[in-house]
Amino acid sequence: MDNEVRKKVILLGDGAVGKTSLIRRYVEDQFDDDYIFTIGVKVTRKDVTIRKDGEELQVVLMIWDILGQTDYHQIQTESFKGASGALLVCDLTRKETLDSLGKYWIPQFEKAVGKVPRVILGNKADLRKKKMPAEEFTSGIQRMSMGSLCLETSAKTGQNVAEAFEAIAMQLVDE
Ligand code: G3D
Ligand code: MG
């Protein structure tokens, strides 16, 4: 297809914030089709149709899932290379995972690839009683001057999951 665009998108964030669950929820049955295991990395392909200026564009997302532990530093920085965009994920029930986006994940990622499109996800929004208030999430992101689109998601209920991947795909075709 001549209007096909292929882009690498990486999910970043601390362990257990829900990166793997978000990918599973989004990709569903395509799960087994196209994936490659390398050490500490899993790549899944997802074809997305974006409507832009009345035109349909096919974007092939190559979605990279990496291990969350910060001691896998070497593997992580290797896997950042060539990324066109990132979904930065925190767990809304654990504030420290939001802080570490600003302290660790964003600086590391920018150091490797520069400024590329990103969307910040506050996951586990279904845990309504335990999660931080929406204002705390959005103001936390502003304070860390992460100035990007942010969404509350739930890999459990599916809330905003497709929207998150489509939002990043949309920014990537805009480039
Ligand atoms: P990671 O890939 O970022 O390390 P995982 O995170 O996708 O492995 O998820 C870690 C745990 O959080 C899993 O629980 C998973 O089921 C849970 N989880 C992920 N997303 C959500 C969500 O949106 N809502 C809720 N309630 N739980 C979520 P287990 O118990 O399997 O370790
Ligand atoms: Mg995982």
Side-chain angles (χ1 to χ4, degrees), residues 16 18-21 65-68:
K19 300 178 296 296
T20 302
S21 304
D65 187 15
I66 61 165
L67 296 172

Side-chain angles (χ1 to χ4, degrees), residues 24 39 49-50 54 73 76 84 87-88 92 97 104 106 117 121 123 126 152 170:
R24 285 218 183 104
I39 303 164
T49 305
I50 296 291
H73 188 82
Q76 286 169 3
S84 300
L87 292 175
L88 292 144
L92 290 171
T97 65
Y104 179 77
I106 290 178
L121 308 182
N123 191 44
D126 58 284
E152 291 199 351
M170 187 72 90

